[in-house]
Amino acid sequence: MEIPTNGIPALDLEREETQQHSQQRYQAIFFGTAAVLAALWIDFGAFHRLHNSDSIVPVLVSLFRWTPFYWEQDRLGMLVPLLAIPFKNPLANLLAQSAFNAFCGLAAFFLCARYVVRRAWLLTGALSASLFLLFNTTETRFQYLGLAQPYGVGMFLGLGGLLLLENSKHSRPLRITFSFICLLAASWVNAALIFALLPLTFFRWYFGGDKHRRSRPLGFLQDQSGRNRSVSPDGGWNVFLQFMLRAKRCLNHEMGIAMVLLFLSFVVNYAYSGIVSYSAAYGDWPYSPVHPSRWPAVWFQFGKIIWSEYLIESWGIAVASLLVLGVLARLLPRGRVHGTNPPAVNLIASSVVSFLLMGSLSHTENTLFDPRFALQSMVLLQVAAVAWALLPAYALLSLSGRRAVTVAGIFLFLSAPLYLYGWPSLARVRADIDETLGKYTAEILQSGATHIIGDYWKVWPATFHANLALYETGSDRRVWGVTIRSTPTQVFWSQIPPEKMRLAAVVGDGEVRSMLEMYSFPPVKEEQRLKNIVILKPLSDSE
């Protein structure tokens, strides 16, 4: 029998590796099934009461005209609307996109735990996702899981790409190829993803240790004959050689390859975004940082917003409680278990660095430090808090105990959506959408309007719901929205002859005139006034 150098029979090692692969496969199936069920329960629950134009535009991108980025922007890749194109029913399209986004947002907690926590990843991911849902506000949950922001989808694809790189069952070139594809897709969906995953990858390498780095002192190099020789610390070329040695060992390590792929995917998307920005009405390329002298000031302002929006609310208190619990556990002799600190320290450090990087962008400052830019950091901090509090106790449990608490964690994960959004009901989903988006639909259809013109926040919800009602009647008629972000569809709605145009506008909408001027409509007159809308008709030459 072959005996490796560590004294363990090769057959036993192979059997142990097979068992580990089998266990990981079952855990992946368990996690995937739970995440799909939770996403569907959210999607078919009371989730759709907060829709607005930002969350409706991706549906219209899929239905009317798909573009690589969010309409009139050079960021937020429209991957999910692309996948949803086969769903021609507006309601089915919205539900399909919402389900996919919710799945990715929830699954990101599990993949983050899998990438950093490893052995306790299933329980850590389940508890992290559950606590994030239970202790955050309805608005924060909708922003993270909904269609308006791509953070969940980007985190899912990015972390999935990093994990594919470590799948030893396949050849290295194949792993690198598929990992790069996932990271490209993730960067396309959310270019800011690099500010979360790059520190996460680096700190995992740094805190987890590198076998190659520790195998030989840095002062030891090889000459051309392959013999080891010592390099004097004061040698003229020593700094360069030490740097090259570190770089080589890093690139030979999976973490080094991961960082290179992350950077390359960002560069490719950054260049493409720059090309698109020349035709984007609201392009912000090149996303430059503020001047370094102003970093402390902008970090302070960004921190104030995050403190007031999240950290002093229920979610922040829950995270702080977990961190304190982890400290108390480590004060006990039995709580000082080797290997339980690095995962949480990695995640906390990554969360802080991600927050600082996002806060230093001029785009973040220009949006008055919108708290949504901290959502990636929140995901990392949530997983960190759970890992910090959980791992000391988890390490002391028997195998049966670990399985029991893992099942309990999955049960909590599946129960949280039911508690927050109620039992799934398509009828209730439709009622919520009718109430939120359908205020003007009856009058729009009654009037025979061809366009809805005016304020961004009014036009797109009304456009979606009017076309949903038309689809359900079997009509091939389409109502077009004319407002901010209507340029991609102008090629269609501008072809309607002026004599057939009927422009519906909400009574009292002050944006109608500016939209008429922006899109060069001919002069109009009021043709009809209903309770909530007025119908405008372009003047003919004789008028």
Side-chain angles (χ1 to χ4, degrees), residues 27 127 138 149 215 289 338 359 432 526:
Q27 288 179 337
L127 293 179
T138 303
Q149 302 298 329
S215 61
H338 177 71
D432 289 341
E526 183 178 318

PDB file of all heavy atoms in Angstrom, residues 27 127 138 149 215 289 338 359 432 526:
ATOM      1  N   GLN A  27     -24.944  19.228   0.943  1.00  0.00           N
ATOM      2  CA  GLN A  27     -25.136  20.542   1.544  1.00  0.00           C
ATOM      3  C   GLN A  27     -25.528  21.577   0.498  1.00  0.00           C
ATOM      4  O   GLN A  27     -26.392  22.430   0.741  1.00  0.00           O
ATOM      5  CB  GLN A  27     -23.865  20.984   2.264  1.00  0.00           C
ATOM      6  CG  GLN A  27     -23.581  20.230   3.552  1.00  0.00           C
ATOM      7  CD  GLN A  27     -22.295  20.680   4.216  1.00  0.00           C
ATOM      8  OE1 GLN A  27     -21.405  21.214   3.559  1.00  0.00           O
ATOM      9  NE2 GLN A  27     -22.189  20.469   5.519  1.00  0.00           N
ATOM     10  N   LEU A 127     -28.331  31.487   9.296  1.00  0.00           N
ATOM     11  CA  LEU A 127     -28.558  32.449  10.373  1.00  0.00           C
ATOM     12  C   LEU A 127     -28.326  33.880   9.897  1.00  0.00           C
ATOM     13  O   LEU A 127     -29.080  34.796  10.268  1.00  0.00           O
ATOM     14  CB  LEU A 127     -27.652  32.133  11.559  1.00  0.00           C
ATOM     15  CG  LEU A 127     -27.936  30.830  12.306  1.00  0.00           C
ATOM     16  CD1 LEU A 127     -26.937  30.639  13.444  1.00  0.00           C
ATOM     17  CD2 LEU A 127     -29.363  30.821  12.855  1.00  0.00           C
ATOM     18  N   THR A 138     -38.592  47.018   6.172  1.00  0.00           N
ATOM     19  CA  THR A 138     -39.209  46.565   4.923  1.00  0.00           C
ATOM     20  C   THR A 138     -38.542  47.226   3.725  1.00  0.00           C
ATOM     21  O   THR A 138     -38.308  46.579   2.692  1.00  0.00           O
ATOM     22  CB  THR A 138     -40.710  46.883   4.930  1.00  0.00           C
ATOM     23  OG1 THR A 138     -41.317  46.281   6.072  1.00  0.00           O
ATOM     24  CG2 THR A 138     -41.381  46.367   3.670  1.00  0.00           C
ATOM     25  N   GLN A 149     -31.893  47.593  -7.312  1.00  0.00           N
ATOM     26  CA  GLN A 149     -30.451  47.555  -7.061  1.00  0.00           C
ATOM     27  C   GLN A 149     -29.918  46.147  -7.313  1.00  0.00           C
ATOM     28  O   GLN A 149     -30.590  45.164  -7.004  1.00  0.00           O
ATOM     29  CB  GLN A 149     -30.131  47.987  -5.629  1.00  0.00           C
ATOM     30  CG  GLN A 149     -30.617  49.379  -5.277  1.00  0.00           C
ATOM     31  CD  GLN A 149     -29.974  50.468  -6.124  1.00  0.00           C
ATOM     32  OE1 GLN A 149     -28.830  50.343  -6.556  1.00  0.00           O
ATOM     33  NE2 GLN A 149     -30.715  51.538  -6.373  1.00  0.00           N
ATOM     34  N   SER A 215       6.522  28.226   3.872  1.00  0.00           N
ATOM     35  CA  SER A 215       7.368  27.059   3.665  1.00  0.00           C
ATOM     36  C   SER A 215       8.851  27.393   3.677  1.00  0.00           C
ATOM     37  O   SER A 215       9.673  26.537   3.924  1.00  0.00           O
ATOM     38  CB  SER A 215       7.021  26.407   2.317  1.00  0.00           C
ATOM     39  OG  SER A 215       7.251  27.338   1.270  1.00  0.00           O
ATOM     40  N   PRO A 289     -12.607  58.871  -7.548  1.00  0.00           N
ATOM     41  CA  PRO A 289     -12.679  59.103  -6.095  1.00  0.00           C
ATOM     42  C   PRO A 289     -12.551  60.582  -5.792  1.00  0.00           C
ATOM     43  O   PRO A 289     -12.067  61.367  -6.620  1.00  0.00           O
ATOM     44  CB  PRO A 289     -11.493  58.309  -5.554  1.00  0.00           C
ATOM     45  CG  PRO A 289     -10.511  58.307  -6.678  1.00  0.00           C
ATOM     46  CD  PRO A 289     -11.322  58.275  -7.949  1.00  0.00           C
ATOM     47  N   HIS A 338      -9.166  27.080  18.657  1.00  0.00           N
ATOM     48  CA  HIS A 338      -8.256  27.471  17.576  1.00  0.00           C
ATOM     49  C   HIS A 338      -9.005  27.500  16.237  1.00  0.00           C
ATOM     50  O   HIS A 338      -9.781  26.607  15.915  1.00  0.00           O
ATOM     51  CB  HIS A 338      -7.091  26.479  17.483  1.00  0.00           C
ATOM     52  CG  HIS A 338      -6.162  26.771  16.345  1.00  0.00           C
ATOM     53  ND1 HIS A 338      -5.309  27.843  16.331  1.00  0.00           N
ATOM     54  CD2 HIS A 338      -5.981  26.114  15.152  1.00  0.00           C
ATOM     55  CE1 HIS A 338      -4.624  27.852  15.200  1.00  0.00           C
ATOM     56  NE2 HIS A 338      -5.006  26.811  14.477  1.00  0.00           N
ATOM     57  N   GLY A 359     -17.287  54.824   0.268  1.00  0.00           N
ATOM     58  CA  GLY A 359     -17.457  56.185   0.745  1.00  0.00           C
ATOM     59  C   GLY A 359     -16.522  57.182   0.100  1.00  0.00           C
ATOM     60  O   GLY A 359     -16.795  58.394   0.119  1.00  0.00           O
ATOM     61  N   ASP A 432     -51.845  43.654  -4.558  1.00  0.00           N
ATOM     62  CA  ASP A 432     -50.848  44.641  -4.144  1.00  0.00           C
ATOM     63  C   ASP A 432     -50.348  45.453  -5.337  1.00  0.00           C
ATOM     64  O   ASP A 432     -50.159  46.672  -5.240  1.00  0.00           O
ATOM     65  CB  ASP A 432     -49.663  43.948  -3.468  1.00  0.00           C
ATOM     66  CG  ASP A 432     -50.020  43.393  -2.101  1.00  0.00           C
ATOM     67  OD1 ASP A 432     -51.036  43.833  -1.529  1.00  0.00           O
ATOM     68  OD2 ASP A 432     -49.283  42.509  -1.607  1.00  0.00           O
ATOM     69  N   GLU A 526     -55.416  70.338 -24.862  1.00  0.00           N
ATOM     70  CA  GLU A 526     -56.177  69.394 -24.048  1.00  0.00           C
ATOM     71  C   GLU A 526     -57.416  68.945 -24.798  1.00  0.00           C
ATOM     72  O   GLU A 526     -58.245  69.758 -25.207  1.00  0.00           O
ATOM     73  CB  GLU A 526     -56.564  70.046 -22.723  1.00  0.00           C
ATOM     74  CG  GLU A 526     -57.305  69.093 -21.784  1.00  0.00           C
ATOM     75  CD  GLU A 526     -57.648  69.729 -20.450  1.00  0.00           C
ATOM     76  OE1 GLU A 526     -56.778  70.445 -19.893  1.00  0.00           O
ATOM     77  OE2 GLU A 526     -58.790  69.521 -19.975  1.00  0.00           O
TER      78      GLU A 526
END
